[in-house]
Amino acid sequence: MQIVALHRLLDFAVSEALAGNMDDSVLEGVVILTRMVGRKVSLVANRLLGSEASSRDD
């Protein structure tokens, strides 16, 4: 649920930037949201693949 909300915020921020409504706060928001989405996706992937990855490494 959080990933979907972060993705929607990121989509909005990028759309605003592409529409020419660029200022420092929009660009900062894009950077922050991109990092947050990446972290959330990594956490989910690690949790989903954690048991599989550890059994494959053995």
Side-chain angles (χ1 to χ4, degrees):
M1 196 98 164
Q2 289 179 353
I3 293 173
V4 173
L6 289 171
H7 180 266
R8 287 182 182 159
L9 285 170
L10 180 59
D11 181 54
F12 173 75
V14 170
S15 296
E16 287 295 306
L18 292 174
N21 300 329
M22 293 179 62
D23 69 15
D24 290 342
S25 64
V26 171
L27 294 176
E28 288 173 18
V30 169
V31 170
I32 291 168
L33 290 169
T34 301
R35 290 178 182 165
M36 290 176 74
V37 168
R39 287 183 190 140
K40 291 291 182 182
V41 169
S42 286
L43 285 172
V44 170
N46 287 339
R47 287 183 184 159
L48 290 175
L49 301 175
S51 60
E52 293 177 25
S54 63
S55 65
R56 289 183 193 162
D57 290 341
D58 293 335

